Amino acid sequence: MRRRHFLTLAGGTGAAMALARPGTAAAVPGADGLVRNDLRVRGPGGARVFVREVRPAGTAGRVGRPLLLVHGARPGGTAAFDLPVRGGSLAAELAAAGYAVYVMDVRGFGYSDYPAEMGQDPAAHPPLVRSAEAVVDIGTVVRLIRARRGRWPAAFGWATGGHWLAMYAAVCPDRLTHLVLLNSLYSVAAPWPLQQELEDPDRPGHPRPQPAWRAVTADSLTARWDAGPADEPAGPRRDPVVRHAYRAAALRADPTSHTRTPPSFRNPTGPLVDAFHLAQGRQFYDAGRIRARTLVLRAELDFWSRPQDGERLAADLTRADAVRVRTLSGASHFLHLERAPYGRGELLEEIRTFVPSNGPIGGGSRKTVPE
């Protein structure tokens, strides 16, 4: 069972914070033994950011380390990380391991407020939700977690979510204890599988003109997943029940999805533009400012990130307490939604080992851990 609460956070990154506490009624655990609280927190400018708290039942005051999960450029957080089916919830598996998990939606995604332009003709506006706006929303949620748990969280980001988190960690280097980045681009000029798809043929080195947002159908959402990595059939690695839940959750989060035929959810295009620039080597942040212990993971069969991204990022993380770079053999871009032998099990073990659910934050001199 889920509760919905409305919270207000006042102030910017370094300002004092006022928290409107939710009601005191106890949440009822679900069939998986976990408690889920759905929250909306107001950030700078008044926009509401959606956050789902997932924790073991009976641990309201003594749950382990808080861990923030940040989605990528397509569906929001609940579709990416908390599907109500077996094998479809990374959040549930982490909560069962003792973490207090927080799943957020950046503005324009999932259940967070959408920019007003997303209710208008997409051709009339430039691409929406750029990296700087996502960083503001992450900051809002990080302060919420600090207020609820009394400590700064660790954070996990998938693809674009990893880029946003690293950018936030560079701006606010003392507010995340650990970073886990999965299949994320970094500022490296290297071959990119999506180059031709997103490059303007009339202006090499520049992205194609994009509308403010695109309507994404269920078939479009899973097209790459359905094709499988490198033309390998997706069937053995993917549970069709998880696929169905993923498609349904992405559509369900947008209240306008069934006003279009076929049903589709609105998806901001700003992250695609930023990804194109990252793949060309544009520097979005100074990784040398990041202090969090950082785990850089890449699925061997990923279509989004490249091996050079993790290598260059590790070299630039000169102030991080520790750096570990790992390639997950045989795994795909969607490994956290696939069957355990195809990378999800290894991903969970990497997170649990690198980010203990309890115990000290860590620190000391920087250490780079090889593969």
Side-chain angles (χ1 to χ4, degrees), residues 12-336:
T13 315
M17 179 173 59
L19 177 65
R21 296 280 180 189
T24 57
V28 178
D32 57 4
L34 302 174
V35 171
R36 287 171 170 81
N37 294 323
D38 285 352
L39 315 168
R40 284 187 175 83
V41 57
R42 293 192 186 275
R48 296 176 303 172
V49 179
F50 174 86
V51 189
R52 173 170 291 174
E53 178 186 67
V54 186
R55 58 175 174 80
T59 58
R62 54 184 173 82
V63 72
R65 185 187 303 276
L67 176 60
L68 171 63
L69 308 186
V70 181
H71 60 83
R74 275 293 181 90
T78 54
F81 301 127
D82 194 29
L83 299 174
V85 296
R86 184 179 179 86
S89 177
L90 183 67
E93 291 180 275
L94 291 167
Y99 301 89
V101 180
Y102 291 84
V103 179
M104 71 169 290
D105 290 337
V106 169
R107 71 185 71 181
F109 291 85
Y111 294 102
S112 286
D113 283 356
Y114 290 10
E117 295 90 341
M118 289 183 70
Q120 302 168 10
D121 180 0
H125 303 283
L128 292 171
V129 188
R130 306 300 292 270
S131 294
E133 296 168 300
V135 166
V136 170
D137 293 344
I138 289 171
T140 295
V141 175
V142 167
R143 295 194 300 276
L144 165 68
I145 296 170
R146 168 74 171 186
R148 290 180 71 84
R149 294 293 158 205
R151 62 194 299 192
W152 298 117
F156 167 91
W158 176 33
T160 299
H163 160 65
W164 290 334
L165 277 173
M167 190 169 170
Y168 172 79
V171 174
C172 300
D174 297 318
R175 297 199 171 188
L176 295 176
T177 64
H178 299 70
L179 277 175
V180 181
L181 312 178
L182 173 65
N183 294 339
S184 295
L185 288 168
Y186 185 56
S187 304
V188 181
W192 190 39
L194 277 68
Q195 178 84 19
Q196 185 174 359
E197 179 180 328
L198 292 178
E199 187 172 46
D200 186 342
D202 298 324
R203 301 176 67 212
H206 295 269
R208 293 177 184 269
Q210 297 286 343
W213 57 273
R214 293 185 180 276
V216 178
T217 65
D219 285 345
S220 176
L221 173 65
T222 58
R224 293 186 192 277
W225 199 11
D226 293 340
D231 298 322
E232 171 198 321
R237 64 176 62 234
R238 188 185 63 194
D239 185 338
V241 174
V242 174
R243 175 185 180 270
H244 175 78
Y246 180 63
R247 290 159 60 102
L251 292 172
R252 185 167 56 245
D254 184 349
T256 73
S257 62
H258 288 280
T259 66
R260 292 176 291 275
T261 303
S264 59
F265 65 91
R266 293 166 293 170
N267 187 223
T269 58
L272 287 178
V273 174
D274 288 350
F276 181 88
H277 290 305
L278 278 166
Q280 306 304 303
R282 180 176 294 185
Q283 200 77 31
F284 276 66
Y285 59 90
D286 179 2
R289 288 178 50 82
I290 295 174
R291 297 178 186 172
R293 299 168 67 84
T294 303
L295 172 61
V296 182
L297 299 173
R298 180 177 183 272
E300 181 186 19
L301 306 179
D302 186 32
F303 65 82
W304 181 262
S305 64
R306 304 142 314 164
Q308 297 94 327
D309 293 307
E311 295 165 3
R312 178 68 61 80
L313 178 56
D316 287 353
L317 288 167
T318 54
R319 297 181 68 194
D321 281 345
V323 179
R324 176 172 168 79
V325 181
R326 285 274 286 114
T327 298
L328 303 179
S329 179
S332 83
H333 185 74
F334 302 96
L335 76 162
H336 65 286

Side-chain angles (χ1 to χ4, degrees), residues 330-353:
S332 83
H333 185 74
F334 302 96
L335 76 162
H336 65 286
L337 291 167
E338 295 182 337
R339 292 185 169 102
Y342 290 90
R344 194 179 85 247
E346 191 175 0
L347 169 65
L348 286 162
E349 184 59 28
E350 285 285 344
I351 295 172
R352 287 193 296 256
T353 301

